[in-house]
Amino acid sequence: MSELWRKSALELAAMIRGREVSSREVVQAHLDRVEAVNPHVNAIVRLLPEQALAAADEADRLAADGTWLGPLHGVPFTVKENIDVAGTPTTQGVPALAEAIAPVDAPPVERLRAAGAIAFGRTNLPDFALRVHTDSALHGLTRNPWNPQRTSGGSSGGEAAALATGMSPLGLGTDLGGSLRNPAHCCGVVSLKPSTGAVPSATVIPPEDMTISNQLMDVEGVMARRIADVRAGFTAIAGQHPRDPLSVPAVFTDLAPGERPKVAVLPEPPGGAPHRRRARGRWLQGHRGRTARLRAGGRVVGHDPRR
């Protein structure tokens, strides 16, 4: 079972439900992976091994009785250290908050646990999550797992690096100006920024009331190595919550029978294509080919949605 860390969150959930593997084995495999890999990237800054293994044993006990908590029963996950996890500090990456211990979970953590998932670690972020590069005064630099001389992105760079290296199959991060999307791009994993209010957010660490800019733009969301895992995580955490008056009853619906997904395509990304002539030519050729295939399938909404 040494390769369990390679599996996606939903693959692990299916294996646990099929009794191919226990939750304890899955959690232990990821703890072992953290021990082997994390010293090279510094993505996970706090482990919760005793609590996680105890939760895994309880998940296995329930499974033996035929009781399943939810679609992520027994699957481990990690949480960026600006989201409350009961009994651990919400440090925001700064020494002043190193002992700011939250007594209760944030709503997304609460809901992932309700879906059966097991929190086992906290991940790095830049100070107060205000940079696109993950280097904190409290925990130091998180390195890109593909190239240590490149950035892991930010501000959820610790989460992205943990996922990319197989230390975690599923994670929670935040996004105001790209903090889920940017590190997912840098580390080759998957995420999306949920619409404001789709995922409830709340903290017990002062200041509990968000600034107006955070109310309008800051969200919490799911990261993973597979799109299906992001979907499963989002489905688990979305919707109204009594602690967040801005939250809405978001419902993630499937396409109707025969309905095709549609894609809006930019001729070039904001800021332009790769600047080197040879790289730019290759990029444009590939981009035009992908666009043509999408258009042939009737899936392109508009070639340039900026107009």
Side-chain angles (χ1 to χ4, degrees):
M1 294 301 177
S2 61
E3 299 294 292
L4 286 173
W5 59 267
R6 293 183 180 274
K7 302 292 185 181
S8 71
L10 289 178
E11 286 174 335
L12 292 169
M15 292 175 71
I16 292 169
R17 184 173 288 270
R19 311 302 294 274
E20 299 175 51
V21 66
S22 68
S23 177
R24 170 174 269 269
E25 289 174 310
V26 170
V27 170
Q28 187 62 59
H30 285 86
L31 291 172
D32 293 344
R33 181 66 177 169
V34 173
E35 183 179 2
V37 174
N38 198 54
H40 301 288
V41 293
N42 189 38
I44 293 180
V45 295
R46 191 179 311 274
L47 279 176
L48 312 171
E50 294 83 7
Q51 300 97 309
L53 288 170
D57 288 341
E58 176 63 10
D60 290 334
R61 185 191 67 78
L62 290 171
D65 291 339
T67 301
W68 302 95
L69 296 176
L72 297 170
H73 186 104
V75 176
F77 71 99
T78 43
V79 185
K80 186 178 179 180
E81 212 170 48
N82 64 343
I83 301 173
D84 292 352
V85 174
T88 72
T90 304
T91 70
Q92 299 279 356
V94 298
L97 295 176
E99 302 300 325
I101 295 175
V104 296
D105 289 332
V109 177
E110 170 193 307
R111 286 182 169 171
L112 279 185
R113 291 194 205 264
I118 297 170
F120 80 102
R122 309 299 307 274
T123 54
N124 200 17
L125 71 158
D127 296 12
F128 294 108
L130 290 177
R131 295 290 183 272
V132 294
H133 177 60
T134 298
D135 190 357
S136 77
L138 182 60
H139 299 302
L141 173 69
T142 294
R143 296 191 179 278
N144 186 303
W146 302 101
N147 185 335
Q149 302 306 313
R150 299 288 183 263
T151 182
S152 62
S155 63
S156 304
E159 198 62 58
L163 291 161
T165 52
M167 290 190 284
S168 175
L170 190 70
L172 290 174
T174 61
D175 192 318
L176 188 150
S179 290
L180 287 166
R181 298 158 289 165
N182 168 265
H185 166 78
C186 290
C187 294
V189 298
V190 183
S191 190
L192 57 81
K193 182 181 181 181
S195 299
T196 302
V199 174
S201 176
T203 181
V204 294
I205 306 300
E208 296 178 40
D209 295 328
M210 295 190 293
T211 64
I212 186 63
S213 61
N214 284 78
Q215 291 179 42
L216 292 171
M217 297 186 290
D218 197 17
V219 299
E220 296 174 8
V222 178
M223 306 180 76
R225 291 190 298 276
R226 306 284 179 83
I227 294 172
D229 291 347
V230 172
R231 180 190 179 96
F234 176 84
T235 301
I237 68 176
Q240 282 182 306
H241 193 283
R243 291 179 60 197
D244 184 358
L246 299 178
S247 59
V248 298
V251 178
F252 205 37
T253 58
D254 284 320
L255 295 170
E259 184 181 0
R260 291 184 173 187
K262 294 185 178 180
V263 181
V265 178
L266 284 169
E268 290 190 14
H275 67 281
R276 292 182 181 177
R277 183 175 299 176
R278 182 177 300 176
R280 177 183 173 85
R282 287 198 301 266
W283 184 89
L284 285 172
Q285 182 180 10
H287 181 65
R288 288 165 181 161
R290 290 187 293 270
T291 301
R293 288 192 293 274
L294 286 169
R295 181 175 284 109
R299 297 184 178 184
V300 173
V301 175
H303 191 64
D304 190 349
R306 295 173 297 181
R307 296 175 182 170

